[in-house]
Amino acid sequence: MRLGYLTHVTGGDPARAYRETVELAVCAEELGYDSFWVAQHHDGHLGGRLPSPLVLLAAVAERTRLIRLGTAAVVLPLEEPRRLAEDTTVLDALSGGRLELGIGAGADAAASLRFGRRHDDRRTDTVAALDVLLELLPTELAEQRMWWATSSSVDAAADRGLGVISGRPAEPGSGVVPDLARYWTYARGIARVALSRPLPAGHSPGRIIDDLLADPALPWAGELIVQAQPSSVSADVHRETMQRFARYVRPFLGVAGPAHPAPVPQAPEPDDEIVPLLRPRPVVRPAR
């Protein structure tokens, strides 16, 4: 399973937040993360300071060599798709083909109003803009490295060959697992699912391991994108979270795929003194 890290780029001073985000991306690459994702927020919504993720990722591209660079997500109804295609293509060239372009319909009604858009039309507007964007982007990027961060549009993503970033908890009755199963069934090309999961402050590695391995959506995913919670934590907390997850949790994540996972013994609930004594345990899944 591939592993990514997401930040909402928060803080009182935007310039400092951008510099610290670049350093976090460098740290993520050094720790072996496969991808580094930034969220787009307009006008400081939810404390986010980044309205222009492609600009910041261009700076990240100059400081990194291998890690993939993701947007989770560009609010597509508020973008001019032709202009977005141009900026995306430039960044992808600068980064050596490392861009993972995540798009979404957006949840900030105030931003829709400020951009002169009807928030209630955001899903229809997303599909319309997406179809234009897909025609303009390089084929390899459009078909293999585009994602839809969605809780309700898996059918549109499947029909257009996009990967799906799912951030909804897969609780009983939530519809997450049936949606992912339907996506896998009807996806054009290679089905790609990334789960976005929070790492709540105060949760031990043992509890995080158990929560992840018990997540019924995990077997359907090929990538796990984690983020520190609350999203407003300092850069030092982000760095510590990345380090602890990479060292203590990642070894417990098996190879995912659309299968019914076999029961896995519960991991102990470690404290800081016994965490280094943990050893990875296999995750056994039957063949598809």
Side-chain angles (χ1 to χ4, degrees):
M1 174 171 288
R2 298 195 300 191
L3 179 62
Y5 194 84
L6 168 67
T7 174
H8 287 262
V9 193
T10 61
D13 178 6
R16 178 176 179 178
Y18 302 153
R19 291 193 299 269
E20 290 178 338
T21 300
V22 173
E23 295 301 327
L24 288 175
V26 172
C27 180
E29 182 171 79
E30 292 172 349
L31 290 169
Y33 282 77
D34 301 287
S35 58
F36 184 82
W37 302 75
V38 293
Q40 181 185 55
H41 294 286
H42 291 288
D43 300 308
H45 179 62
L46 299 178
R49 294 294 184 179
L50 184 60
S52 304
L54 299 180
V55 176
L56 182 58
L57 289 179
V60 172
E62 291 300 298
R63 293 284 307 280
T64 57
R65 296 188 307 111
L66 301 174
I67 196 167
R68 295 179 297 113
L69 312 177
T71 60
V74 172
V75 182
L76 192 54
L78 307 185
E79 302 283 342
E80 203 293 308
R82 292 169 181 79
R83 192 73 186 91
L84 178 60
E86 292 178 335
D87 290 345
T88 296
T89 303
V90 170
L91 173 55
D92 199 45
L94 282 173
S95 66
R98 289 186 284 143
L99 179 63
E100 302 285 333
L101 182 61
I103 59 93
D108 183 5
S112 297
L113 180 62
R114 286 190 289 271
F115 276 77
R117 309 293 173 85
R118 279 179 44 85
H119 191 63
D120 290 345
D121 295 338
R122 63 191 183 280
R123 292 184 177 85
T124 301
D125 291 347
T126 296
V127 171
L130 177 60
D131 288 340
V132 174
L133 184 62
L134 289 172
E135 289 292 327
L136 298 171
L137 290 175
T139 301
E140 189 267 343
L141 173 58
E143 294 183 353
Q144 300 180 30
R145 291 185 282 119
M146 280 200 67
W147 303 80
W148 196 328
T150 180
S151 61
S152 60
S153 301
V154 295
D155 299 300
D159 184 58
R160 289 160 176 79
L162 272 65
V164 168
I165 301 174
S166 177
R168 282 192 300 165
E171 299 169 346
S174 66
V176 171
V177 171
D179 283 350
L180 294 180
R182 192 170 71 254
Y183 168 79
W184 268 90
T185 301
Y186 296 107
R188 180 171 61 83
I190 299 174
R192 294 174 289 122
V193 173
L195 295 185
S196 175
R197 292 295 184 257
L199 302 178
H203 283 198
S204 70
R207 179 172 178 180
I208 292 170
I209 291 166
D210 287 340
D211 288 347
L212 287 174
L213 294 182
D215 191 328
L218 188 67
W220 299 89
E223 182 150 358
L224 179 65
I225 303 171
V226 295
Q227 55 177 303
Q229 289 292 301
S231 60
S232 58
V233 298
S234 68
D236 288 342
V237 174
H238 278 297
R239 191 173 295 105
E240 179 184 1
T241 300
M242 285 194 295
Q243 291 170 344
R244 288 170 64 86
F245 194 94
R247 182 176 181 182
Y248 301 132
V249 181
R250 185 174 192 174
F252 287 83
L253 301 178
V255 177
H260 300 289
V264 177
Q266 294 294 301
E269 186 78 6
D271 57 27
D272 290 340
E273 286 72 32
I274 68 170
V275 164
L277 301 179
L278 290 173
R279 293 293 181 268
R281 63 175 181 267
V283 178
V284 180
R285 293 182 171 89
R288 290 175 58 187

PDB file of all heavy atoms in Angstrom, residues 51-86:
ATOM      1  N   PRO A  51      -4.794  29.193  -1.167  1.00  0.00           N
ATOM      2  CA  PRO A  51      -5.758  29.235  -2.265  1.00  0.00           C
ATOM      3  C   PRO A  51      -5.169  28.738  -3.589  1.00  0.00           C
ATOM      4  O   PRO A  51      -5.915  28.445  -4.513  1.00  0.00           O
ATOM      5  CB  PRO A  51      -6.110  30.721  -2.354  1.00  0.00           C
ATOM      6  CG  PRO A  51      -4.873  31.424  -1.903  1.00  0.00           C
ATOM      7  CD  PRO A  51      -4.259  30.537  -0.844  1.00  0.00           C
ATOM      8  N   SER A  52      -3.819  28.659  -3.673  1.00  0.00           N
ATOM      9  CA  SER A  52      -3.150  28.332  -4.948  1.00  0.00           C
ATOM     10  C   SER A  52      -2.204  27.146  -4.754  1.00  0.00           C
ATOM     11  O   SER A  52      -0.982  27.320  -4.674  1.00  0.00           O
ATOM     12  CB  SER A  52      -2.377  29.549  -5.459  1.00  0.00           C
ATOM     13  OG  SER A  52      -3.222  30.682  -5.591  1.00  0.00           O
ATOM     14  N   PRO A  53      -2.731  25.930  -4.681  1.00  0.00           N
ATOM     15  CA  PRO A  53      -1.880  24.769  -4.380  1.00  0.00           C
ATOM     16  C   PRO A  53      -0.825  24.478  -5.444  1.00  0.00           C
ATOM     17  O   PRO A  53       0.263  24.004  -5.119  1.00  0.00           O
ATOM     18  CB  PRO A  53      -2.876  23.612  -4.255  1.00  0.00           C
ATOM     19  CG  PRO A  53      -4.101  24.072  -4.964  1.00  0.00           C
ATOM     20  CD  PRO A  53      -4.151  25.550  -4.793  1.00  0.00           C
ATOM     21  N   LEU A  54      -1.114  24.759  -6.705  1.00  0.00           N
ATOM     22  CA  LEU A  54      -0.134  24.447  -7.749  1.00  0.00           C
ATOM     23  C   LEU A  54       1.109  25.319  -7.616  1.00  0.00           C
ATOM     24  O   LEU A  54       2.226  24.867  -7.902  1.00  0.00           O
ATOM     25  CB  LEU A  54      -0.765  24.621  -9.130  1.00  0.00           C
ATOM     26  CG  LEU A  54      -1.968  23.727  -9.434  1.00  0.00           C
ATOM     27  CD1 LEU A  54      -2.483  24.000 -10.835  1.00  0.00           C
ATOM     28  CD2 LEU A  54      -1.628  22.260  -9.261  1.00  0.00           C
ATOM     29  N   VAL A  55       0.928  26.555  -7.172  1.00  0.00           N
ATOM     30  CA  VAL A  55       2.074  27.446  -6.987  1.00  0.00           C
ATOM     31  C   VAL A  55       2.977  26.908  -5.879  1.00  0.00           C
ATOM     32  O   VAL A  55       4.209  26.827  -6.031  1.00  0.00           O
ATOM     33  CB  VAL A  55       1.603  28.877  -6.659  1.00  0.00           C
ATOM     34  CG1 VAL A  55       2.811  29.774  -6.360  1.00  0.00           C
ATOM     35  CG2 VAL A  55       0.785  29.454  -7.805  1.00  0.00           C
ATOM     36  N   LEU A  56       2.390  26.517  -4.769  1.00  0.00           N
ATOM     37  CA  LEU A  56       3.190  25.999  -3.664  1.00  0.00           C
ATOM     38  C   LEU A  56       3.853  24.678  -4.040  1.00  0.00           C
ATOM     39  O   LEU A  56       5.024  24.437  -3.700  1.00  0.00           O
ATOM     40  CB  LEU A  56       2.317  25.808  -2.424  1.00  0.00           C
ATOM     41  CG  LEU A  56       3.046  25.317  -1.169  1.00  0.00           C
ATOM     42  CD1 LEU A  56       4.177  26.268  -0.775  1.00  0.00           C
ATOM     43  CD2 LEU A  56       2.072  25.159  -0.006  1.00  0.00           C
ATOM     44  N   LEU A  57       3.158  23.822  -4.751  1.00  0.00           N
ATOM     45  CA  LEU A  57       3.756  22.545  -5.144  1.00  0.00           C
ATOM     46  C   LEU A  57       4.900  22.730  -6.132  1.00  0.00           C
ATOM     47  O   LEU A  57       5.793  21.878  -6.216  1.00  0.00           O
ATOM     48  CB  LEU A  57       2.691  21.614  -5.719  1.00  0.00           C
ATOM     49  CG  LEU A  57       1.686  21.060  -4.702  1.00  0.00           C
ATOM     50  CD1 LEU A  57       0.652  20.175  -5.395  1.00  0.00           C
ATOM     51  CD2 LEU A  57       2.387  20.281  -3.591  1.00  0.00           C
ATOM     52  N   ALA A  58       4.895  23.827  -6.875  1.00  0.00           N
ATOM     53  CA  ALA A  58       6.049  24.107  -7.742  1.00  0.00           C
ATOM     54  C   ALA A  58       7.298  24.340  -6.892  1.00  0.00           C
ATOM     55  O   ALA A  58       8.394  23.896  -7.243  1.00  0.00           O
ATOM     56  CB  ALA A  58       5.760  25.319  -8.624  1.00  0.00           C
ATOM     57  N   ALA A  59       7.130  25.035  -5.749  1.00  0.00           N
ATOM     58  CA  ALA A  59       8.264  25.221  -4.841  1.00  0.00           C
ATOM     59  C   ALA A  59       8.693  23.892  -4.233  1.00  0.00           C
ATOM     60  O   ALA A  59       9.892  23.614  -4.082  1.00  0.00           O
ATOM     61  CB  ALA A  59       7.891  26.217  -3.740  1.00  0.00           C
ATOM     62  N   VAL A  60       7.722  23.046  -3.895  1.00  0.00           N
ATOM     63  CA  VAL A  60       8.045  21.726  -3.359  1.00  0.00           C
ATOM     64  C   VAL A  60       8.803  20.894  -4.392  1.00  0.00           C
ATOM     65  O   VAL A  60       9.751  20.170  -4.059  1.00  0.00           O
ATOM     66  CB  VAL A  60       6.760  20.997  -2.925  1.00  0.00           C
ATOM     67  CG1 VAL A  60       7.055  19.552  -2.537  1.00  0.00           C
ATOM     68  CG2 VAL A  60       6.089  21.729  -1.768  1.00  0.00           C
ATOM     69  N   ALA A  61       8.402  21.007  -5.643  1.00  0.00           N
ATOM     70  CA  ALA A  61       9.050  20.228  -6.703  1.00  0.00           C
ATOM     71  C   ALA A  61      10.535  20.540  -6.809  1.00  0.00           C
ATOM     72  O   ALA A  61      11.350  19.660  -7.126  1.00  0.00           O
ATOM     73  CB  ALA A  61       8.360  20.491  -8.043  1.00  0.00           C
ATOM     74  N   GLU A  62      10.906  21.783  -6.533  1.00  0.00           N
ATOM     75  CA  GLU A  62      12.312  22.177  -6.624  1.00  0.00           C
ATOM     76  C   GLU A  62      13.148  21.640  -5.467  1.00  0.00           C
ATOM     77  O   GLU A  62      14.369  21.590  -5.561  1.00  0.00           O
ATOM     78  CB  GLU A  62      12.414  23.700  -6.676  1.00  0.00           C
ATOM     79  CG  GLU A  62      11.882  24.312  -7.963  1.00  0.00           C
ATOM     80  CD  GLU A  62      12.638  23.794  -9.179  1.00  0.00           C
ATOM     81  OE1 GLU A  62      13.858  24.023  -9.255  1.00  0.00           O
ATOM     82  OE2 GLU A  62      12.003  23.150 -10.036  1.00  0.00           O
ATOM     83  N   ARG A  63      12.504  21.227  -4.379  1.00  0.00           N
ATOM     84  CA  ARG A  63      13.237  20.738  -3.209  1.00  0.00           C
ATOM     85  C   ARG A  63      13.168  19.216  -3.055  1.00  0.00           C
ATOM     86  O   ARG A  63      13.750  18.672  -2.121  1.00  0.00           O
ATOM     87  CB  ARG A  63      12.663  21.400  -1.946  1.00  0.00           C
ATOM     88  CG  ARG A  63      12.905  22.904  -1.834  1.00  0.00           C
ATOM     89  CD  ARG A  63      14.346  23.200  -1.441  1.00  0.00           C
ATOM     90  NE  ARG A  63      14.723  22.473  -0.231  1.00  0.00           N
ATOM     91  CZ  ARG A  63      14.408  22.842   1.015  1.00  0.00           C
ATOM     92  NH1 ARG A  63      13.692  23.943   1.204  1.00  0.00           N
ATOM     93  NH2 ARG A  63      14.797  22.121   2.047  1.00  0.00           N
ATOM     94  N   THR A  64      12.443  18.543  -3.922  1.00  0.00           N
ATOM     95  CA  THR A  64      12.264  17.095  -3.821  1.00  0.00           C
ATOM     96  C   THR A  64      12.604  16.445  -5.158  1.00  0.00           C
ATOM     97  O   THR A  64      12.690  17.117  -6.187  1.00  0.00           O
ATOM     98  CB  THR A  64      10.824  16.741  -3.411  1.00  0.00           C
ATOM     99  OG1 THR A  64       9.908  17.318  -4.366  1.00  0.00           O
ATOM    100  CG2 THR A  64      10.500  17.266  -2.020  1.00  0.00           C
ATOM    101  N   ARG A  65      12.753  15.107  -5.120  1.00  0.00           N
ATOM    102  CA  ARG A  65      13.121  14.396  -6.348  1.00  0.00           C
ATOM    103  C   ARG A  65      12.147  13.282  -6.721  1.00  0.00           C
ATOM    104  O   ARG A  65      11.921  13.030  -7.894  1.00  0.00           O
ATOM    105  CB  ARG A  65      14.516  13.776  -6.209  1.00  0.00           C
ATOM    106  CG  ARG A  65      15.649  14.760  -6.040  1.00  0.00           C
ATOM    107  CD  ARG A  65      17.000  14.040  -6.103  1.00  0.00           C
ATOM    108  NE  ARG A  65      17.078  12.920  -5.161  1.00  0.00           N
ATOM    109  CZ  ARG A  65      17.109  11.639  -5.516  1.00  0.00           C
ATOM    110  NH1 ARG A  65      17.031  11.297  -6.790  1.00  0.00           N
ATOM    111  NH2 ARG A  65      17.198  10.682  -4.606  1.00  0.00           N
ATOM    112  N   LEU A  66      11.589  12.599  -5.717  1.00  0.00           N
ATOM    113  CA  LEU A  66      10.843  11.379  -5.990  1.00  0.00           C
ATOM    114  C   LEU A  66       9.385  11.421  -5.544  1.00  0.00           C
ATOM    115  O   LEU A  66       8.537  10.810  -6.187  1.00  0.00           O
ATOM    116  CB  LEU A  66      11.525  10.188  -5.305  1.00  0.00           C
ATOM    117  CG  LEU A  66      12.968   9.901  -5.714  1.00  0.00           C
ATOM    118  CD1 LEU A  66      13.544   8.795  -4.840  1.00  0.00           C
ATOM    119  CD2 LEU A  66      13.033   9.512  -7.178  1.00  0.00           C
ATOM    120  N   ILE A  67       9.102  12.095  -4.463  1.00  0.00           N
ATOM    121  CA  ILE A  67       7.763  12.040  -3.886  1.00  0.00           C
ATOM    122  C   ILE A  67       6.738  12.659  -4.833  1.00  0.00           C
ATOM    123  O   ILE A  67       7.001  13.680  -5.479  1.00  0.00           O
ATOM    124  CB  ILE A  67       7.745  12.743  -2.514  1.00  0.00           C
ATOM    125  CG1 ILE A  67       6.493  12.369  -1.728  1.00  0.00           C
ATOM    126  CG2 ILE A  67       7.872  14.265  -2.658  1.00  0.00           C
ATOM    127  CD1 ILE A  67       6.553  12.766  -0.264  1.00  0.00           C
ATOM    128  N   ARG A  68       5.585  12.011  -4.941  1.00  0.00           N
ATOM    129  CA  ARG A  68       4.523  12.535  -5.792  1.00  0.00           C
ATOM    130  C   ARG A  68       3.819  13.687  -5.084  1.00  0.00           C
ATOM    131  O   ARG A  68       3.689  13.690  -3.862  1.00  0.00           O
ATOM    132  CB  ARG A  68       3.544  11.411  -6.151  1.00  0.00           C
ATOM    133  CG  ARG A  68       4.204  10.324  -7.005  1.00  0.00           C
ATOM    134  CD  ARG A  68       3.264   9.188  -7.342  1.00  0.00           C
ATOM    135  NE  ARG A  68       2.821   8.486  -6.141  1.00  0.00           N
ATOM    136  CZ  ARG A  68       1.580   8.477  -5.686  1.00  0.00           C
ATOM    137  NH1 ARG A  68       0.632   9.143  -6.331  1.00  0.00           N
ATOM    138  NH2 ARG A  68       1.258   7.809  -4.601  1.00  0.00           N
ATOM    139  N   LEU A  69       3.353  14.642  -5.863  1.00  0.00           N
ATOM    140  CA  LEU A  69       2.816  15.893  -5.319  1.00  0.00           C
ATOM    141  C   LEU A  69       1.333  15.995  -5.655  1.00  0.00           C
ATOM    142  O   LEU A  69       0.953  16.041  -6.825  1.00  0.00           O
ATOM    143  CB  LEU A  69       3.575  17.085  -5.917  1.00  0.00           C
ATOM    144  CG  LEU A  69       5.112  16.963  -5.882  1.00  0.00           C
ATOM    145  CD1 LEU A  69       5.756  18.150  -6.571  1.00  0.00           C
ATOM    146  CD2 LEU A  69       5.604  16.833  -4.445  1.00  0.00           C
ATOM    147  N   GLY A  70       0.495  16.036  -4.603  1.00  0.00           N
ATOM    148  CA  GLY A  70      -0.934  15.955  -4.831  1.00  0.00           C
ATOM    149  C   GLY A  70      -1.717  17.159  -4.344  1.00  0.00           C
ATOM    150  O   GLY A  70      -1.343  17.827  -3.383  1.00  0.00           O
ATOM    151  N   THR A  71      -2.835  17.421  -5.004  1.00  0.00           N
ATOM    152  CA  THR A  71      -3.801  18.424  -4.561  1.00  0.00           C
ATOM    153  C   THR A  71      -5.037  17.683  -4.058  1.00  0.00           C
ATOM    154  O   THR A  71      -5.600  16.851  -4.763  1.00  0.00           O
ATOM    155  CB  THR A  71      -4.198  19.375  -5.702  1.00  0.00           C
ATOM    156  OG1 THR A  71      -4.800  18.618  -6.774  1.00  0.00           O
ATOM    157  CG2 THR A  71      -2.986  20.116  -6.233  1.00  0.00           C
ATOM    158  N   ALA A  72      -5.451  17.989  -2.826  1.00  0.00           N
ATOM    159  CA  ALA A  72      -6.620  17.296  -2.265  1.00  0.00           C
ATOM    160  C   ALA A  72      -7.486  18.293  -1.513  1.00  0.00           C
ATOM    161  O   ALA A  72      -7.458  18.336  -0.304  1.00  0.00           O
ATOM    162  CB  ALA A  72      -6.168  16.157  -1.354  1.00  0.00           C
ATOM    163  N   ALA A  73      -8.191  19.092  -2.220  1.00  0.00           N
ATOM    164  CA  ALA A  73      -8.367  19.006  -3.665  1.00  0.00           C
ATOM    165  C   ALA A  73      -8.580  20.414  -4.207  1.00  0.00           C
ATOM    166  O   ALA A  73      -8.980  21.312  -3.490  1.00  0.00           O
ATOM    167  CB  ALA A  73      -9.579  18.144  -4.009  1.00  0.00           C
ATOM    168  N   VAL A  74      -8.308  20.580  -5.527  1.00  0.00           N
ATOM    169  CA  VAL A  74      -8.652  21.819  -6.212  1.00  0.00           C
ATOM    170  C   VAL A  74     -10.171  21.880  -6.367  1.00  0.00           C
ATOM    171  O   VAL A  74     -10.798  20.922  -6.829  1.00  0.00           O
ATOM    172  CB  VAL A  74      -7.977  21.870  -7.598  1.00  0.00           C
ATOM    173  CG1 VAL A  74      -8.497  23.058  -8.404  1.00  0.00           C
ATOM    174  CG2 VAL A  74      -6.466  21.952  -7.462  1.00  0.00           C
ATOM    175  N   VAL A  75     -10.759  23.004  -5.965  1.00  0.00           N
ATOM    176  CA  VAL A  75     -12.224  23.162  -6.051  1.00  0.00           C
ATOM    177  C   VAL A  75     -12.555  23.530  -7.497  1.00  0.00           C
ATOM    178  O   VAL A  75     -12.499  24.695  -7.901  1.00  0.00           O
ATOM    179  CB  VAL A  75     -12.716  24.239  -5.070  1.00  0.00           C
ATOM    180  CG1 VAL A  75     -14.249  24.342  -5.133  1.00  0.00           C
ATOM    181  CG2 VAL A  75     -12.271  23.906  -3.641  1.00  0.00           C
ATOM    182  N   LEU A  76     -12.901  22.535  -8.260  1.00  0.00           N
ATOM    183  CA  LEU A  76     -13.000  22.704  -9.710  1.00  0.00           C
ATOM    184  C   LEU A  76     -14.088  23.685 -10.155  1.00  0.00           C
ATOM    185  O   LEU A  76     -13.879  24.425 -11.133  1.00  0.00           O
ATOM    186  CB  LEU A  76     -13.194  21.344 -10.369  1.00  0.00           C
ATOM    187  CG  LEU A  76     -13.044  21.299 -11.883  1.00  0.00           C
ATOM    188  CD1 LEU A  76     -11.707  21.896 -12.324  1.00  0.00           C
ATOM    189  CD2 LEU A  76     -13.178  19.866 -12.391  1.00  0.00           C
ATOM    190  N   PRO A  77     -15.250  23.767  -9.519  1.00  0.00           N
ATOM    191  CA  PRO A  77     -16.258  24.709 -10.001  1.00  0.00           C
ATOM    192  C   PRO A  77     -15.822  26.174  -9.920  1.00  0.00           C
ATOM    193  O   PRO A  77     -16.430  27.023 -10.583  1.00  0.00           O
ATOM    194  CB  PRO A  77     -17.456  24.453  -9.064  1.00  0.00           C
ATOM    195  CG  PRO A  77     -17.241  23.112  -8.505  1.00  0.00           C
ATOM    196  CD  PRO A  77     -15.764  22.932  -8.417  1.00  0.00           C
ATOM    197  N   LEU A  78     -14.788  26.457  -9.122  1.00  0.00           N
ATOM    198  CA  LEU A  78     -14.320  27.832  -8.984  1.00  0.00           C
ATOM    199  C   LEU A  78     -13.127  28.126  -9.885  1.00  0.00           C
ATOM    200  O   LEU A  78     -12.541  29.201  -9.804  1.00  0.00           O
ATOM    201  CB  LEU A  78     -13.948  28.119  -7.526  1.00  0.00           C
ATOM    202  CG  LEU A  78     -15.023  27.790  -6.477  1.00  0.00           C
ATOM    203  CD1 LEU A  78     -14.572  28.243  -5.102  1.00  0.00           C
ATOM    204  CD2 LEU A  78     -16.356  28.420  -6.852  1.00  0.00           C
ATOM    205  N   GLU A  79     -12.770  27.186 -10.740  1.00  0.00           N
ATOM    206  CA  GLU A  79     -11.614  27.333 -11.631  1.00  0.00           C
ATOM    207  C   GLU A  79     -12.067  27.471 -13.077  1.00  0.00           C
ATOM    208  O   GLU A  79     -13.101  26.928 -13.484  1.00  0.00           O
ATOM    209  CB  GLU A  79     -10.689  26.111 -11.516  1.00  0.00           C
ATOM    210  CG  GLU A  79     -10.152  25.835 -10.127  1.00  0.00           C
ATOM    211  CD  GLU A  79      -9.010  26.774  -9.750  1.00  0.00           C
ATOM    212  OE1 GLU A  79      -8.410  27.394 -10.648  1.00  0.00           O
ATOM    213  OE2 GLU A  79      -8.718  26.863  -8.533  1.00  0.00           O
ATOM    214  N   GLU A  80     -11.255  28.176 -13.868  1.00  0.00           N
ATOM    215  CA  GLU A  80     -11.445  28.186 -15.313  1.00  0.00           C
ATOM    216  C   GLU A  80     -10.661  26.994 -15.851  1.00  0.00           C
ATOM    217  O   GLU A  80      -9.442  26.944 -15.726  1.00  0.00           O
ATOM    218  CB  GLU A  80     -10.920  29.501 -15.904  1.00  0.00           C
ATOM    219  CG  GLU A  80     -11.527  29.873 -17.251  1.00  0.00           C
ATOM    220  CD  GLU A  80     -11.130  28.914 -18.356  1.00  0.00           C
ATOM    221  OE1 GLU A  80      -9.919  28.671 -18.509  1.00  0.00           O
ATOM    222  OE2 GLU A  80     -12.031  28.406 -19.054  1.00  0.00           O
ATOM    223  N   PRO A  81     -11.302  25.984 -16.410  1.00  0.00           N
ATOM    224  CA  PRO A  81     -10.610  24.726 -16.700  1.00  0.00           C
ATOM    225  C   PRO A  81      -9.454  24.855 -17.692  1.00  0.00           C
ATOM    226  O   PRO A  81      -8.454  24.144 -17.564  1.00  0.00           O
ATOM    227  CB  PRO A  81     -11.725  23.826 -17.247  1.00  0.00           C
ATOM    228  CG  PRO A  81     -12.834  24.743 -17.635  1.00  0.00           C
ATOM    229  CD  PRO A  81     -12.745  25.909 -16.717  1.00  0.00           C
ATOM    230  N   ARG A  82      -9.560  25.759 -18.643  1.00  0.00           N
ATOM    231  CA  ARG A  82      -8.461  25.909 -19.602  1.00  0.00           C
ATOM    232  C   ARG A  82      -7.227  26.483 -18.914  1.00  0.00           C
ATOM    233  O   ARG A  82      -6.096  26.053 -19.161  1.00  0.00           O
ATOM    234  CB  ARG A  82      -8.902  26.796 -20.767  1.00  0.00           C
ATOM    235  CG  ARG A  82      -9.967  26.153 -21.645  1.00  0.00           C
ATOM    236  CD  ARG A  82     -10.594  27.119 -22.630  1.00  0.00           C
ATOM    237  NE  ARG A  82     -11.622  26.472 -23.435  1.00  0.00           N
ATOM    238  CZ  ARG A  82     -12.864  26.235 -23.011  1.00  0.00           C
ATOM    239  NH1 ARG A  82     -13.216  26.608 -21.791  1.00  0.00           N
ATOM    240  NH2 ARG A  82     -13.740  25.633 -23.794  1.00  0.00           N
ATOM    241  N   ARG A  83      -7.434  27.452 -18.054  1.00  0.00           N
ATOM    242  CA  ARG A  83      -6.302  28.028 -17.318  1.00  0.00           C
ATOM    243  C   ARG A  83      -5.718  27.006 -16.350  1.00  0.00           C
ATOM    244  O   ARG A  83      -4.495  26.918 -16.192  1.00  0.00           O
ATOM    245  CB  ARG A  83      -6.781  29.271 -16.541  1.00  0.00           C
ATOM    246  CG  ARG A  83      -5.650  30.105 -15.988  1.00  0.00           C
ATOM    247  CD  ARG A  83      -4.953  30.866 -17.116  1.00  0.00           C
ATOM    248  NE  ARG A  83      -3.776  31.551 -16.609  1.00  0.00           N
ATOM    249  CZ  ARG A  83      -2.556  31.030 -16.577  1.00  0.00           C
ATOM    250  NH1 ARG A  83      -2.340  29.805 -17.017  1.00  0.00           N
ATOM    251  NH2 ARG A  83      -1.547  31.730 -16.124  1.00  0.00           N
ATOM    252  N   LEU A  84      -6.576  26.250 -15.696  1.00  0.00           N
ATOM    253  CA  LEU A  84      -6.097  25.212 -14.783  1.00  0.00           C
ATOM    254  C   LEU A  84      -5.288  24.165 -15.539  1.00  0.00           C
ATOM    255  O   LEU A  84      -4.251  23.697 -15.042  1.00  0.00           O
ATOM    256  CB  LEU A  84      -7.289  24.550 -14.086  1.00  0.00           C
ATOM    257  CG  LEU A  84      -6.951  23.409 -13.119  1.00  0.00           C
ATOM    258  CD1 LEU A  84      -6.050  23.892 -11.985  1.00  0.00           C
ATOM    259  CD2 LEU A  84      -8.234  22.779 -12.576  1.00  0.00           C
ATOM    260  N   ALA A  85      -5.716  23.813 -16.734  1.00  0.00           N
ATOM    261  CA  ALA A  85      -4.971  22.837 -17.532  1.00  0.00           C
ATOM    262  C   ALA A  85      -3.569  23.354 -17.856  1.00  0.00           C
ATOM    263  O   ALA A  85      -2.585  22.596 -17.808  1.00  0.00           O
ATOM    264  CB  ALA A  85      -5.733  22.518 -18.815  1.00  0.00           C
ATOM    265  N   GLU A  86      -3.459  24.634 -18.153  1.00  0.00           N
ATOM    266  CA  GLU A  86      -2.140  25.205 -18.457  1.00  0.00           C
ATOM    267  C   GLU A  86      -1.223  25.157 -17.235  1.00  0.00           C
ATOM    268  O   GLU A  86      -0.058  24.727 -17.325  1.00  0.00           O
ATOM    269  CB  GLU A  86      -2.302  26.640 -18.950  1.00  0.00           C
ATOM    270  CG  GLU A  86      -2.974  26.747 -20.304  1.00  0.00           C
ATOM    271  CD  GLU A  86      -3.169  28.193 -20.745  1.00  0.00           C
ATOM    272  OE1 GLU A  86      -3.245  29.091 -19.874  1.00  0.00           O
ATOM    273  OE2 GLU A  86      -3.243  28.425 -21.960  1.00  0.00           O
TER     274      GLU A  86
END
